[in-house]
Amino acid sequence: MLSAVAELESIGDITVVRLADAGLVSMADIAARTGRTRESVRLLITGKRGPGGFPPPVTDPRSRYRLWRSDEVKTRLREHLAATLDDSADDYIRAAINAGLELRHHRAHLGDAKRSSLRTLVDI
């Protein structure tokens, strides 16, 4: 991910401000990260298996390509099905890179004293 940021920014007048990550998961993502089949996940989503009340998709529910908020799915699985949606290691890396990109963006608007005090927050 970092090399992709560097490569994009080397092209010219491009500054990467965020890596795409809306915190959304597809039915296939849910199946892969829970160890369930897609059919098992489909049955959970439609309420034909489990306690019902699966979070609604954030995209058009009639669409073939529906997406759900990852945090809502994680909560539902943990609280009502004693299951987990495994966190991808990439989720944490992407979040850390996005935090760094955000800090870099705001750094330009800060004076030296404020930049110095912010350094105490970041201990890498």
Side-chain angles (χ1 to χ4, degrees):
M1 286 185 245
L2 288 174
S3 62
V5 170
E7 190 172 328
L8 282 169
E9 291 185 339
S10 73
I11 292 172
D13 193 24
I14 295 175
T15 302
V16 176
V17 295
R18 184 159 188 75
L19 299 177
D21 174 35
L24 302 176
V25 290
S26 67
M27 190 181 329
D29 295 330
I30 296 167
R33 291 170 62 179
T34 59
R36 293 175 177 262
T37 65
R38 285 184 60 161
E39 178 63 10
S40 172
V41 173
R42 186 189 69 76
L43 292 171
L44 289 171
I45 290 168
T46 60
K48 294 179 180 173
R49 179 177 290 165
F54 201 84
V58 295
T59 54
D60 185 343
R62 298 166 295 178
S63 171
R64 182 172 180 208
Y65 303 104
R66 293 171 292 167
L67 298 171
W68 289 262
R69 285 186 180 91
S70 178
D71 58 340
E72 291 177 357
V73 173
K74 286 178 187 180
T75 300
R76 185 72 185 166
L77 291 172
R78 184 179 57 252
E79 291 178 356
H80 298 283
L81 298 170
T84 59
L85 183 66
D86 290 340
D87 291 320
S88 166
D90 285 350
D91 292 345
Y92 296 108
I93 293 167
R94 188 179 301 110
I97 292 171
N98 279 334
L101 292 170
E102 185 81 9
L103 181 60
R104 183 177 75 172
H105 170 74
H106 292 294
R107 177 188 65 198
H109 306 286
L110 302 173
D112 289 338
K114 290 184 179 176
R115 279 191 222 163
S116 179
S117 64
L118 284 175
R119 282 189 189 100
T120 63
L121 293 175
V122 182
D123 181 29
I124 295 180

